[in-house]
Amino acid sequence: PFAASAQDHAQAAPAARAQEEAASIPFANRGGVRDWRAQGMDRIYFQDSHGQWYLAKLMGSASDLPFTEFIGIDANPDGSLDKFSAIYVKGQKYPFESFVKVDGPPSKKARAKRKG
């Protein structure tokens, strides 16, 4: 069995935070985003051109997000999408609270199971 010391955990935490802070989709303003999926009113999944998924949590709720077919991406000046970016839904700007790499959005089965 593997036992992790407190020191191991102390070293792992900053590395995890650094990875979270570094999550970014380059060239989001030039085809770097392949797909996106809303999850409720305050989360949105983005897939980059290489198939990697990211989860952006919005600072506030966007009541139209679950029903919209189009979003605007407010990328950084270098064109990247990260935790300092935002989206537009029906003209309203929603900044990101966080932006992290994830395995992908929940499956439709998982969403249906959670609701029932």
Side-chain angles (χ1 to χ4, degrees):
F2 175 78
S5 69
Q7 183 178 6
D8 291 336
H9 288 293
Q11 291 172 345
R17 277 194 302 272
Q19 185 178 22
E20 178 180 322
E21 291 172 12
S24 174
I25 299 177
F27 309 110
N29 61 343
R30 303 240 186 248
V33 174
R34 177 190 298 172
D35 194 10
W36 64 271
R37 296 183 190 165
Q39 180 70 40
M41 293 186 288
D42 65 347
R43 296 175 196 278
I44 185 166
Y45 289 87
F46 291 96
Q47 185 182 42
D48 71 14
S49 59
H50 303 289
Q52 172 65 53
W53 285 95
Y54 300 82
L55 172 61
K57 185 171 187 306
L58 305 180
M59 285 190 184
S61 292
S63 58
D64 289 325
L65 183 59
F67 312 104
T68 193
E69 294 181 18
F70 175 80
I71 61 167
I73 294 176
D74 187 12
N76 296 315
D78 67 359
S80 65
L81 188 67
D82 63 20
K83 70 177 186 175
F84 301 107
S85 302
I87 60 168
Y88 284 91
V89 179
K90 295 193 175 184
Q92 179 69 40
K93 185 176 182 177
Y94 297 94
F96 295 165
E97 180 178 307
S98 62
F99 190 82
V100 296
K101 282 185 179 182
V102 294
D103 292 335
S107 68
K108 290 182 180 182
K109 283 184 180 180
R111 288 193 306 251
K113 190 175 187 179
R114 220 179 7 209
K115 288 180 183 176

